[in-house]
Amino acid sequence: MPQTADFILERLRAWGIGRIFGYPGDGINSLLGALNRADGDPELIQTRHEEMAAFMATAQAKFTGTLSCCMATSGGGTIHLLNGLYDAKLDHQPVVAIIGQQKRIALGSAYQQEIDPNTLYKDVSEFVQTCMHPAQARQLIDRACKVALTNNTVATVIVPEDVAMEEAVPSPPRSHGAVYTSVGWTKPRMIPPEEELDKAAEVLNEGERVAILVGQGAARATDQVAEVAELLGAGVAKTSLGREVLPDDLPYVTGPVGLLGSTSSHAMMMEADTLFMIGTSFPYTEWLPVEGQCRGVEIDVDGRMIGVRYPMDAHLIGDSKDTLTELIPLLRRKQDRSWRERIEREVSEWWQVLDDRAHDTADPLNPELVTQELSKRLPDESIITTDAGSVANWWSRHLKLRTGMKASLSGNLATMGPGTPYAISAKFAYPDRPVIALVGDGVFQMNGMLELITIKRYLDRLSRSSLIFCVFNNQDLNQVTWEQRAMAGEPKFPGSQDIPDVPYAEWAKLLGFTGIHCDDPGRIGQAWDEALAAKGPVVLEVVVDAEVPPIPPHIKSTQAKKTAQALRQGDPEAWGVAIKGAKQKMHEFTESVKKKTPGS
């Protein structure tokens, strides 16, 4: 007879879950047996660590827009999932976690591996329940899936070992207290009331200098965002999670915003008289217009987050695509295009600044040049992931994404670790699309190197097109080093920041993959060509200069003072940092002078 474990998998399959990311353990023995009997539907993708399983589930939800699932054993396995699940929660992705638990008879006895996952998961999971009876499994799986999809969040079902082993009860007995649930969910059409749409249209129509900021909530509204930008003569800045909303080759797309941002986005925000935020809750308000500078309109599907970053005049609670569809007929095309033309000049100058910066000399490789050379070569339909660290700056700024490309990172959690598992998950979801991960050496040492073993296990499925891991080797936990200088006024502390030099390309070869080592600026283009032409997975190790600063588009006075303080206090890289940082800002100054000089 089928066990409850078999029924749980059958119910997950009915919800469209065909892949579960996880790692085995005796607390889920019955579920593993059921997976064996399921004959690959759903299939188990065995990661090297439960945290990586949760990251992969998050990435699948991000890149496919569908419900995803991860699984872990009781005790330590349950704990290991948490970081990846927080990534899903904070970036609003629907993930169901199935976790094991000791037998019911042992609970409360301080049994081995006994923890309290109900309490532990209360913050990360909007729905967390323990299956105490086989007849309860149906409604718990159904509710978990509905909650995850409705609220774009994490939902968890805890399955004690003895319940999983019991005979399945597909339908509970018809008695008081029994609940009968069904598989099924549809995305609602959410639009604000007409009076709020009219108010928003009035604000946007009256604005003379409209700045649009989009996030991942606008991902389904590409055409509508483009139409609104054209009608309003606006520029469009993108958060890191909103990178794929509009392609970067549109002349009015100002690129990233914030510390990882562009001078064109910063100029637009500082000079706008109207701010239109679509599908984003970008938290760094110091990079938004000054309070009182702008009138504001915001679209957000979550009413709890509307108008919490900038004071808004119109609060449009609804789906971005549906709301924009209703709003567009109310907007008037602006005849004066001088604001749009100004933005397009700023964007053109920014791309030139990036190219100039990338070709500054460095020791040995300029990390900006590495990303710039990739941008020229990005294959159609590429999926590009990255990780926390200074590499995220180059990923945000230098990659010129085109229509059809996907890109993501850990946005709100900004945790180390997702870049490599995100890429692997993307490859499972889209085996024929090129996938490229840009990761730092610190995070690659943390978990990326071992996760390449997962690729080795599933090599036959992950080798149909490019799968490249570009490791930026600077032997420094670089972003934190810069944060120590700019935020704390502290010099680099080698005891915490220096990391061992590891032969990453050789590690790839040891696994049977292609390994390419590059420390020559004259050869980086060729190295990318080799990586993109290779059959099977590739590790491209680039030896880059840790002293090239990820300078923001506008240096705040406090950051400048603290950085100078840190360099004066005996920072081991003070001279190189000062010279290379000055070079970067000089490129911005040069372009600014050209702009003001007639005939230049």
Side-chain angles (χ1 to χ4, degrees):
M1 295 294 292
Q3 296 179 348
T4 302
D6 295 281
F7 177 79
I8 288 171
L9 295 186
E10 178 185 327
R11 205 67 175 180
L12 290 172
R13 182 166 58 246
W15 277 98
I17 292 174
R19 186 176 298 126
I20 298 174
F21 300 95
Y23 199 80
D26 62 1
I28 53 171
N29 275 339
S30 294
L31 286 161
L32 298 174
L35 281 163
N36 189 26
R37 292 187 291 274
D39 197 27
D41 188 18
E43 66 172 333
L44 175 70
I45 300 298
Q46 183 208 77
T47 60
R48 310 276 58 77
H49 191 285
E50 290 91 352
E51 181 184 8
M52 301 295 100
F55 280 140
M56 289 187 194
T58 301
Q60 178 169 296
K62 282 187 174 185
F63 290 129
T64 67
T66 61
L67 182 67
S68 64
C69 185
C70 58
M71 180 181 291
T73 188
S74 54
T78 291
I79 296 166
H80 283 162
L81 280 181
L82 282 172
N83 198 43
L85 291 178
Y86 269 106
D87 187 37
K89 175 190 175 177
L90 295 184
D91 282 357
H92 311 293
Q93 300 302 321
V95 175
V96 171
I98 307 296
I99 57 177
Q101 176 59 296
Q102 295 300 326
K103 294 180 178 179
R104 289 167 296 178
I105 196 173
L107 296 180
S109 69
Y111 205 75
Q112 185 185 36
Q113 289 192 334
E114 183 190 350
I115 63 170
D116 181 6
N118 294 82
T119 300
L120 183 67
Y121 271 57
K122 278 180 72 174
D123 183 54
V124 73
S125 188
E126 196 155 326
F127 176 86
V128 52
Q129 291 291 330
T130 301
C131 186
M132 298 303 291
H133 189 281
Q136 193 184 6
R138 170 175 156 181
Q139 64 103 341
L140 289 185
I141 295 297
D142 288 350
R143 281 222 58 215
C145 294
K146 293 173 196 284
V147 169
L149 286 165
T150 300
N151 294 342
N152 289 310
T153 192
V154 177
T156 303
V157 177
I158 305 161
V159 186
E161 198 177 338
D162 54 335
V163 176
M165 296 169 61
E166 287 191 36
E167 184 177 329
V169 180
S171 184
R174 187 168 178 79
S175 61
H176 181 70
V179 176
Y180 302 88
T181 57
S182 58
V183 172
W185 181 88
T186 56
K187 184 176 178 61
R189 186 170 186 264
M190 290 185 63
I191 56 173
E194 287 185 15
E195 55 268 26
E196 201 68 15
L197 287 165
D198 290 338
K199 189 188 302 183
E202 179 186 355
V203 171
L204 295 171
N205 286 331
E206 291 178 356
E208 296 179 358
R209 300 184 303 279
V210 181
I212 297 175
L213 177 61
V214 296
Q216 69 173 0
R220 293 177 55 250
T222 293
D223 293 342
Q224 289 76 16
V225 171
E227 186 172 356
V228 167
E230 177 58 28
L231 286 169
L232 299 177
V236 181
K238 304 186 292 185
T239 68
S240 293
L241 289 173
R243 286 221 58 190
E244 62 189 61
V245 174
L246 287 181
D248 292 302
D249 50 14
L250 292 174
Y252 59 84
V253 171
T254 63
V257 66
L259 280 170
L260 279 61
S262 68
T263 57
S264 49
S265 290
H266 182 66
M268 179 177 70
M269 289 295 170
M270 294 303 104
E271 297 167 18
D273 65 9
T274 308
L275 176 63
F276 190 9
M277 295 177 66
I278 306 173
T280 179
S281 190
F282 180 73
Y284 304 112
T285 54
E286 68 270 27
W287 297 99
L288 297 178
V290 177
E291 184 176 7
Q293 171 189 328
C294 286
R295 299 178 74 189
V297 175
E298 183 175 7
I299 300 174
D300 200 302
V301 74
D302 187 350
R304 298 171 299 179
M305 298 303 294
I306 200 89
V308 300
R309 304 303 188 204
Y310 193 85
M312 292 295 166
D313 297 272
H315 304 77
L316 303 178
I317 301 172
D319 173 78
S320 294
K321 181 177 180 179
D322 294 339
T323 301
L324 288 174
T325 299
E326 297 295 319
L327 180 64
I328 285 170
L330 307 177
L331 300 179
R332 297 191 301 267
R333 189 179 193 276
K334 296 190 186 299
Q335 299 306 309
D336 182 355
R337 311 304 280 185
S338 57
W339 172 243
R340 165 63 72 82
E341 291 164 3
R342 186 171 165 186
I343 287 169
E344 292 185 358
R345 287 195 299 272
E346 294 277 1
V347 170
S348 178
E349 290 162 12
W350 171 244
W351 285 117
Q352 184 59 55
V353 165
L354 286 179
D355 189 62
D356 292 342
R357 281 188 185 178
H359 289 91
D360 283 340
T361 55
D363 182 20
L365 259 175
N366 187 331
E368 296 183 278
L369 181 64
V370 174
T371 321
Q372 190 87 342
E373 290 297 319
L374 168 62
S375 187
K376 299 174 185 177
R377 296 167 167 80
L378 277 176
D380 291 341
E381 302 292 308
S382 291
I383 302 173
I384 310 102
T385 71
T386 195
D387 225 301
S390 58
V391 68
N393 292 273
W394 323 132
W395 175 91
S396 292
R397 294 172 182 165
H398 287 266
L399 292 181
K400 189 175 278 193
L401 300 187
R402 304 190 302 276
T403 300
M405 295 181 178
K406 292 179 177 290
S408 196
L409 77 173
S410 174
N412 290 296
L413 187 61
T415 181
M416 291 180 71
T420 296
Y422 269 30
I424 295 170
S425 182
K427 199 66 176 174
F428 274 115
Y430 302 102
D432 294 319
R433 295 181 65 166
V435 177
I436 302 166
L438 304 182
V439 296
D441 51 357
V443 75
F444 204 60
Q445 289 183 18
M446 180 180 281
N447 54 36
M449 293 180 71
L450 289 182
E451 211 51 45
L452 294 191
I453 299 172
T454 299
I455 300 173
K456 185 174 179 65
R457 170 164 185 158
Y458 301 100
L459 189 58
D460 58 326
R461 299 171 55 182
L462 302 177
S463 299
R464 283 159 51 175
S465 62
S466 297
L467 177 56
I468 302 170
F469 300 88
C470 182
V471 183
F472 287 62
N473 181 354
N474 57 19
Q475 298 168 55
D476 179 40
L477 298 175
N478 199 235
Q479 185 74 9
V480 175
T481 296
W482 288 106
E483 289 168 345
Q484 286 177 347
R485 292 168 176 145
M487 296 181 181
E490 295 289 344
K492 175 181 176 178
F493 173 40
S496 71
Q497 300 311 108
D498 289 351
I499 60 174
D501 187 13
V502 173
Y504 305 104
E506 295 304 311
W507 167 245
K509 294 176 184 177
L510 186 64
L511 292 172
F513 306 156
T514 298
I516 302 170
H517 180 276
C518 184
D519 57 6
D520 179 0
R523 211 181 73 78
I524 184 60
Q526 178 187 343
W528 274 119
D529 290 336
E530 291 175 13
L532 289 163
K535 302 297 183 185
V538 177
V539 170
L540 170 57
E541 177 189 353
V542 291
V543 184
V544 297
D545 192 338
E547 295 178 357
V548 175
I551 286 181
H554 174 71
I555 300 177
K556 309 290 183 183
S557 60
T558 53
Q559 293 174 339
K561 289 176 183 176
K562 287 185 175 179
T563 301
Q565 174 186 326
L567 299 184
R568 287 196 303 268
Q569 291 179 2
D571 191 294
E573 297 168 357
W575 181 249
V577 166
I579 294 296
K580 290 158 190 171
K583 277 186 180 180
Q584 286 191 333
K585 297 310 288 184
M586 182 57 68
H587 291 307
E588 293 176 25
F589 176 74
T590 300
E591 287 302 315
S592 177
V593 169
K594 285 181 183 177
K595 177 173 63 174
K596 296 174 182 176
T597 304
S600 64

